[in-house]
Amino acid sequence: MSKIILTGDRPTGRLHLGHYVGSLKRRVELQNSGKFDEIYVMIADAQALTDNFDNPEKIRQNIIEVALDYLSVGLDPSKTHIFIQSQIPQLTELTFFYANLVTVSRLQRNPTVKNEIVLRNFEASIPVGFFTYPISQAADITAFKATTVPVGEDQEPMIEQAREIVRKFNATYGETLIEPEILLPDNKVCMRLPGTDGKAKMSKSLGNCIYLSDTADEVKKKVMSMYTDPDHIKIEDPGKVEGNTVFTYLEALSCEDDFKEFLPEYKNLDELKAHYQRGGLGDVKIKKFLIKVINRELDPIRERRHQYEQNIPGVYDILKEGTKIAYNTAQATLNDVKAAMKINYFDDAKLIEGQIDKYKNN
Ligand code: TRP
């Protein structure tokens, strides 16, 4: 069986370090592993519209931002098809047919939907489009016969629901769709990188993100004002590393080579942590180290971004090309789906013959 990846992001803002360690870095590794037959990465603008329907301009502006972020982290259009969800009408058709296989109560039980309803104050009146987006996400995944969906842990309920839809479809209409597997980050710290303020998650509205497109100066400013251990006041004080955002980031991003290069008096993160816990290590020193680590990671990303920024029409061409390929794949699946559901009337010579026979002797 072919190994196929599908994943994507809603284009509601520029991508940040949380996206990078939680998913983007992994995608590039998977892309370069040579282990996958096809890789699709989708800019989920239609899904973004389910809770931004009144602000399509925001989505429109962020499509190019997300595309630039993708290309700059090293997604390679010769290996990965990057495409725009709304340009694949087959996804809406699949959604419509899958909707028959899902109950309202099952959607209401989807934990991610539940959380988001509260988050967006949708309790009193939930837009139908938003409410049913797990079904549309199942269409995204199955349209490409994806076997593997690399995503963050908040997407687990979506993949589970997609798997249920696949099973129900195949049981009802015959083996047609592929049941996808979720691929979570293997490093726990990377599952959810906190914001620079120590809050649970990087989020644009909280203003606590480090963006992939931030300059070295912006990174410096943000790291210098980062949340550490509020009880670590004097350098001599023993400090806490748990819940200390600087250490969390170092855990997600630093490697032993960084110590060799930028902080040779320590062999690794464990030694640095031990010193901090003992006391005698100041926040400024660990922050300066973190700045170097982040910039070591972001420098090549910035450079690639700069190249692509010089050729914006070229970026749109990449999206157009990826979208064309995605369109054809989704159409092939839709044909299979319609055949399985026996709603391919005009391609079904037997159906027509049968009808001829039925009326022959009238
Ligand atoms: N829901 C995902 C997010 O919020 C985006 C997305 C849409 C997606 N369709 C998908 C992810 C299919 C993986 C597979 O980021």
Side-chain angles (χ1 to χ4, degrees):
M1 193 172 77
S2 306
K3 291 180 75 176
I4 299 171
I5 286 180
L6 176 114
T7 187
D9 301 274
R10 298 181 188 190
T12 52
R14 289 181 291 156
L15 300 180
H16 51 59
L17 269 188
H19 294 115
Y20 182 67
V21 301
S23 146
L24 294 172
K25 195 174 175 182
R26 181 73 166 288
R27 284 184 209 172
V28 176
E29 286 162 11
L30 293 170
Q31 167 193 272
N32 296 335
S33 73
K35 288 191 186 141
F36 290 87
D37 299 288
E38 300 285 343
I39 303 173
Y40 296 91
V41 175
M42 179 179 77
I43 301 181
D45 63 331
Q47 188 177 105
L49 285 167
T50 65
D51 62 332
N52 289 277
F53 62 90
D54 51 354
N55 197 358
E57 188 58 24
K58 169 171 143 191
I59 306 306
R60 181 175 141 98
Q61 292 301 329
N62 279 307
I63 285 176
I64 190 78
E65 293 297 337
V66 171
L68 284 167
D69 285 329
Y70 281 169
L71 294 165
S72 62
V73 298
L75 287 180
D76 172 353
S78 74
K79 297 180 184 154
T80 295
H81 313 303
I82 304 175
F83 71 97
I84 304 181
Q85 184 185 30
S86 64
Q87 305 306 300
I88 317 290
Q90 293 84 357
L91 298 176
T92 0
E93 276 193 66
L94 291 174
T95 303
F96 194 62
F97 298 135
Y98 296 170
N100 299 330
L101 310 175
V102 180
T103 62
V104 169
S105 64
R106 175 63 182 88
L107 284 170
Q108 276 165 336
R109 269 186 281 122
N110 184 310
T112 304
V113 173
K114 255 184 171 164
N115 283 343
E116 289 181 317
I117 286 173
V118 178
L119 212 72
R120 288 165 178 69
N121 291 320
F122 279 163
E123 285 107 326
S125 60
I126 310 170
V128 173
F130 175 81
F131 187 59
T132 56
Y133 93 76
I135 306 176
S136 132
Q137 190 153 337
D140 302 338
I141 296 168
T142 54
F144 301 94
K145 303 225 153 104
T147 51
T148 311
V149 186
V151 281
E153 111 195 280
D154 61 317
Q155 294 298 304
E156 221 163 358
M158 296 296 154
I159 313 306
E160 192 42 50
Q161 187 145 23
R163 289 165 61 89
E164 281 175 33
I165 290 173
V166 168
R167 290 196 291 265
K168 185 91 188 258
F169 187 98
N170 287 348
T172 310
Y173 303 115
E175 281 300 314
T176 312
L177 302 173
I178 305 288
E179 211 174 309
E181 305 274 352
I182 189 169
L183 189 63
L184 292 168
D186 42 20
N187 179 346
K188 253 212 133 36
V189 184
C190 293
M191 288 265 198
R192 181 160 299 166
L193 202 68
T196 51
D197 56 359
K199 297 233 170 77
K201 206 177 158 179
M202 278 200 185
S203 121
K204 198 168 104 179
S205 51
L206 295 174
N208 61 3
C209 305
I210 294 178
Y211 292 102
L212 298 176
S213 47
D214 278 349
T215 62
D217 243 20
E218 284 166 321
V219 167
K220 186 173 167 196
K221 255 192 235 132
K222 289 180 182 179
V223 172
M224 288 317 281
S225 64
M226 236 165 110
Y227 179 85
T228 56
D229 170 7
D231 300 323
H232 183 245
I233 297 163
K234 292 197 289 290
I235 292 185
E236 314 82 75
D237 293 341
K240 271 205 284 299
V241 298
E242 299 81 33
N244 183 324
T245 318
V246 173
F247 280 100
T248 310
Y249 281 29
L250 285 174
E251 221 152 275
L253 288 158
S254 71
C255 57
E256 291 207 0
D257 279 350
D258 290 327
F259 283 89
K260 275 200 203 105
E261 200 178 336
F262 306 128
L263 205 60
E265 50 285 35
Y266 304 90
K267 224 172 65 225
N268 53 37
L269 190 56
D270 286 338
E271 280 188 10
L272 188 73
K273 279 185 182 170
H275 191 184
Y276 194 80
Q277 286 168 320
R278 261 197 322 273
L281 175 57
D283 281 356
V284 171
K285 186 154 177 180
I286 56 168
K287 284 180 170 175
K288 284 193 167 155
F289 176 54
L290 176 60
I291 291 168
K292 287 183 180 142
V293 170
I294 293 177
N295 285 332
R296 186 261 307 143
E297 194 79 40
L298 291 189
D299 275 342
I301 296 176
R302 290 183 182 121
E303 204 163 299
R304 261 187 304 246
R305 196 177 218 276
H306 182 73
Q307 300 287 328
Y308 281 111
E309 282 172 355
Q310 306 313 303
N311 183 13
I312 294 297
V315 176
Y316 279 103
D317 283 343
I318 288 169
L319 295 177
K320 200 166 159 188
E321 191 52 38
T323 299
K324 206 158 89 188
I325 292 167
Y327 184 100
N328 290 332
T329 310
Q331 183 60 50
T333 302
L334 182 61
N335 291 346
D336 294 347
V337 160
K338 284 183 162 175
M341 294 176 71
K342 299 196 178 300
I343 54 172
N344 56 340
Y345 314 116
F346 303 134
D347 300 331
D348 191 345
K350 265 216 203 100
L351 168 71
I352 299 171
E353 269 168 40
Q355 302 298 338
I356 295 173
D357 282 348
K358 194 163 107 190
Y359 289 103
K360 212 160 36 200
N361 301 320
N362 278 359

